[in-house]
Amino acid sequence: MQAKEGYWVGELQGDSILESEYLLLKWILGQEHEPELRLIANYLRNIQQADGGWNLFPGGEADLSGTVKGYFALKLMGDDSEAPHMRRARELILALGGAEGCNSFTKFYFACLGQISYDACPAIPPEVVLLPKWFYFNLYHVSAWTRTMILPLGIVTTLRPVRMLAPEQGIAELYRDREAANRLGEPMRGLPRDWRSFFLRVDQFLKAYNQSPIGSLRALAMRRAEAWLLEHLDDSEGLGAIFPPMVYILIVFRAMGYADDHPRVVKAQQGLRDFFIREGDSIRIQPCVSPMWDTGIALHALAEAGLSSEDPVARQTTKWLLEKECRVASDWVTNCPSAEPGGWFFEFENPHYPDVDDTAMVAMALKRVGGKIAEPAVERGLKWLLAMQNRDGGWAAFDKTVDRPILEKIPFADHNAMQDPSCPDITGRVFECLGHCGLTTGEDAVRRGIAFLKKTQDPCGAWWGRWGVNYVYGTWQVLTGLSSVGERKDQDYIRRATAWLRSVQKADGSFGESAKSYEDPTLKGIGPSTASQTAWGAMGLMAAVGADDPAVHRAVQWLVDHQGEDGNWEEAWYTGTGFPKVFYLKYHLYRLYFPITALARYRRMMGTS
């Protein structure tokens, strides 16, 4: 499966909003006659649930925002609103409270298509780009992905572009309360009672300001915002190299008067098309691509299985990874000015956003099989990781940050990821890398990280997984990391984590956890069995109690018994996390390289051939 250039990349699968939002985008831009849209609509119909809705992950309940967007997209594509599948969707939407309950990022699409007023969308003045770093809210106190979304939306809500539709093309029938649909929240009376009502007051003030802004300040903000967006498009696959801002930037270009044949617009359009996967008469869309992540984990798995640095596979992969090392300082340097550039990003090209998780994974793999040629890059990656440690002792994904929970109350924070705080799973991954690079519990960075992990351990003994589903993922990462840096395994907090893993292992040896556990704490560690999660459970137990343990034997046996004759494992469920409670992922290579890692580690620790 390795590409000739040396990398691996598997499909990265999300949910229906990718297809529905792309269709809505094309209608906003007046490009609804492109032939590929019919194939995207086919896929959207194919994944509609029996109850009429669209969910966030297989086995999940229908999501209101996703269902409204799916219905709207198909209606625009010509589906009769009285067809059985459309009627089921409409009835479900109304039963869930109506389209007025959609999240803020959905409402931007509806405002662009004239279904609601822009007053129903959070106000995001472009002046946000001018706010200094000492200000409590500024671009560099929110997560990297939020940064790339709110600035283009600030321009959109300022210029307020609208593609008017014929009444029969709209979705008036999906609203139970049209008055509520055209406002952001309940009418404010009296003094704010909490942070949510305070920010709604702020939103009212900003909307009033937008009616008569300071002309010179607004013009400066628009110029700076445009310059910021163009700069962040340079040398990248797209804005943020992820689907949502890559959609929004096209609406910005249209609103600002860029021609459809402008090189920036052409490249932005192609960036989205590169996410297409055609299969038969349908097209599904990826949220981004994951070559760096897949390649780092695949190389690490092969290293665990005994791959030598002299092997042609290792040499070619090392060459490709070294060519992709991030050697430029971009957004992250604002909060970490003293660090030398180093590390790796997630996609093929995204130099503005190297991330801690990919850097730890790649540096660890290169340390094992990269040879002498990789040593300088590994050293730079290690120094960058240490510089990116947060004040609380943990590590976040993209920035050196301070947790500011008040920001989660801002009206456009309903994607549940306004910030990028420290999380246990990334901290555990960094520990695993540090251990491979020779750092142990004697290091101050490790001691502070351990204190963070003790503080964030769940009462049940597990750790929450920010980037994988869920407590099985977080607990595996933490236990593996602690073992790598040499933490004593007889301590109470490790014993409690081990006991929790044992408690959720199934009788047949497997592990499985549904993304429903993010919503329902009683479902921690509970869900359909998967190869990736069984591998995580096995590796977590190996880190805590060694390989020669009955629970480990059972997990390994399950993996062996469920491998196909061709070497593959089947995995229908989503075990990756984008935004908890909002967006989940299926990494199509998780079912391969994690079981390989677990089986190879078991073989090595047991001393068998």
Side-chain angles (χ1 to χ4, degrees):
M1 298 179 72
Q2 186 181 29
K4 65 181 187 302
E5 294 87 351
Y7 64 83
W8 285 266
V9 62
E11 180 180 347
L12 184 57
Q13 190 172 356
D15 64 54
S16 66
I17 67 166
L18 300 163
E19 290 75 32
S20 59
E21 288 183 1
Y22 188 84
L23 293 174
L24 295 177
L25 166 70
K26 287 300 180 175
W27 278 82
I28 292 169
L29 299 178
Q31 298 169 347
E32 63 269 23
H33 299 298
E34 295 179 0
E36 59 203 3
L37 303 190
R38 180 181 58 82
L39 305 183
I40 296 171
N42 286 345
Y43 180 75
L44 192 56
R45 290 186 202 95
N46 292 341
I47 61 172
Q48 186 179 16
Q49 299 178 108
D51 65 1
W54 283 268
N55 56 16
L56 301 177
F57 56 90
E61 301 298 321
D63 175 68
L64 174 61
S65 295
T67 300
V68 175
K69 282 183 284 194
Y71 177 97
F72 193 11
L74 290 181
K75 187 174 183 182
L76 288 175
M77 292 301 295
D79 287 25
D80 186 343
S81 61
E82 292 305 317
H85 69 290
M86 297 290 280
R87 192 167 56 250
R88 288 197 305 273
R90 183 170 63 252
E91 291 170 355
L92 177 63
I93 290 163
L94 293 173
L96 292 173
E100 57 266 40
C102 289
N103 60 39
S104 60
F105 288 98
T106 297
K107 291 178 179 178
F108 285 108
Y109 287 93
F110 297 168
C112 285
L113 288 166
Q115 300 307 294
I116 57 174
S117 165
Y118 273 99
D119 289 340
C121 302
I124 310 174
E127 283 85 349
V128 69
V129 76
L130 304 175
L131 294 176
K133 190 172 181 301
W134 56 261
F135 200 74
Y136 189 82
F137 178 87
N138 69 77
L139 280 180
Y140 300 97
H141 285 172
V142 298
S143 61
W145 52 87
T146 298
R147 196 176 305 146
T148 59
M149 290 193 288
I150 63 175
L151 200 52
L153 289 177
I155 295 176
V156 171
T157 55
T158 297
L159 299 179
R160 296 193 164 202
V162 177
R163 159 79 189 279
M164 294 306 299
L165 301 173
E168 62 271 16
Q169 294 176 305
I171 52 171
E173 68 271 20
L174 300 185
Y175 291 95
R176 298 177 63 175
D177 185 341
R178 290 297 299 178
E179 183 181 347
N182 284 291
R183 62 173 184 255
L184 183 58
E186 291 300 316
M188 293 294 299
R189 298 181 180 88
L191 295 174
R193 300 177 304 278
D194 50 32
W195 282 113
R196 168 70 178 173
S197 55
F198 169 78
F199 282 119
L200 286 174
R201 282 287 195 201
V202 171
D203 184 80
Q204 288 179 335
F205 167 78
L206 293 175
K207 284 185 167 72
Y209 171 75
N210 276 336
Q211 295 297 314
S212 53
I214 301 170
S216 59
L217 187 64
R218 174 56 55 88
L220 174 63
M222 290 292 283
R223 290 195 302 272
R224 289 277 185 86
E226 182 181 10
W228 191 96
L229 293 172
L230 295 178
E231 175 190 337
H232 283 73
L233 283 167
D234 290 340
D235 302 317
S236 177
E237 294 168 22
L239 185 60
I242 54 175
F243 181 87
M246 290 172 67
V247 166
Y248 302 147
I249 192 65
L250 283 165
I251 302 173
V252 167
F253 283 150
R254 171 60 63 85
M256 296 188 77
Y258 284 66
D260 285 351
D261 61 354
H262 189 286
R264 291 278 192 182
V265 177
V266 172
K267 183 180 178 184
Q269 293 273 17
Q270 186 57 50
L272 286 172
R273 290 193 189 96
D274 289 343
F275 294 158
F276 289 5
I277 294 179
R278 179 166 181 172
E279 199 168 72
D281 65 348
S282 70
I283 289 176
R284 58 185 180 272
I285 303 174
Q286 301 177 95
C288 61
V289 290
S290 54
M292 205 70 64
W293 186 238
D294 287 332
T295 301
I297 304 175
L299 185 61
H300 180 60
L302 294 176
E304 192 71 50
L307 185 74
S308 163
S309 60
E310 299 303 313
D311 190 290
V313 169
R315 287 184 172 184
Q316 188 65 12
T317 307
T318 297
K319 179 177 181 292
W320 186 81
L321 288 170
L322 294 180
E323 290 171 351
K324 294 296 183 180
E325 183 190 6
C326 189
R327 299 293 293 136
V328 298
S330 191
D331 284 16
W332 60 267
V333 81
T334 304
N335 295 331
C336 192
S338 62
E340 177 189 1
W344 287 266
F345 35 81
F346 184 79
E347 303 87 353
F348 282 111
E349 300 295 344
N350 191 11
H352 299 286
Y353 296 109
D355 69 273
V356 170
D357 222 3
D358 279 275
T359 298
M361 193 73 248
V362 172
M364 177 167 57
L366 289 177
K367 180 69 176 180
R368 301 185 73 177
V369 295
K372 290 189 69 66
I373 192 175
E375 288 177 1
V378 171
E379 184 65 22
R380 285 190 294 268
L382 179 62
K383 289 180 179 178
W384 188 77
L385 286 174
L386 292 171
M388 292 289 282
Q389 186 174 23
N390 289 331
R391 205 160 58 195
D392 61 10
W395 278 266
F398 289 93
D399 289 297
K400 187 171 185 175
T401 61
V402 174
D403 191 16
R404 297 174 174 85
I406 294 172
L407 295 181
E408 301 295 342
K409 305 299 181 182
I410 291 175
F412 53 82
D414 53 6
H415 62 307
N416 204 34
M418 188 71 175
Q419 298 188 95
D420 179 18
S422 301
C423 54
D425 47 317
I426 290 183
T427 302
R429 175 88 68 192
V430 172
F431 271 15
E432 187 180 5
C433 177
L434 298 184
H436 278 284
C437 293
L439 279 68
T440 65
T441 53
E443 303 287 340
D444 177 65
V446 176
R447 288 196 298 269
R448 292 193 295 120
I450 289 174
F452 168 78
L453 292 174
K454 288 180 177 179
K455 183 179 178 180
T456 54
Q457 187 175 23
D458 191 82
C460 72
W463 279 273
W464 180 74
R466 166 63 184 83
W467 296 98
V469 181
N470 174 354
Y471 290 89
V472 173
Y473 182 86
T475 306
W476 152 63
Q477 289 271 243
V478 170
L479 289 176
T480 299
L482 290 170
S483 176
S484 184
V485 295
E487 177 72 324
R488 284 181 22 243
K489 300 174 183 178
D490 59 353
Q491 298 185 75
D492 179 65
Y493 81 109
I494 292 181
R495 286 177 171 170
R496 288 191 292 115
T498 307
W500 180 82
L501 273 180
R502 292 187 190 279
S503 75
V504 298
Q505 186 178 24
K506 299 180 183 182
D508 64 2
S510 66
F511 289 83
E513 183 174 4
S514 166
K516 293 178 182 178
S517 62
Y518 286 102
E519 300 273 4
D520 184 352
T522 66
L523 297 178
K524 295 172 185 173
I526 297 174
S529 299
T530 68
S532 57
Q533 291 169 324
T534 300
W536 299 341
M539 290 188 285
L541 289 170
M542 279 188 263
V545 298
D548 194 10
D549 183 274
V552 176
H553 295 329
R554 292 200 308 276
V556 167
Q557 190 62 53
W558 188 92
L559 289 172
V560 170
D561 291 343
H562 286 77
Q563 186 182 25
E565 289 297 322
D566 60 354
N568 192 17
W569 283 266
E570 294 299 326
E571 186 164 292
W573 309 101
Y574 283 30
T575 61
T577 305
F579 302 149
K581 303 181 183 179
V582 174
F583 189 68
Y584 299 99
L585 297 162
K586 178 182 178 181
Y587 293 83
H588 281 232
L589 289 185
Y590 270 21
R591 67 179 187 254
L592 280 167
Y593 45 54
F594 285 123
I596 291 170
T597 309
L599 294 178
R601 186 167 300 170
Y602 175 80
R603 184 178 66 180
R604 174 175 58 81
M605 292 178 70
M606 291 296 291
T608 58
S609 60

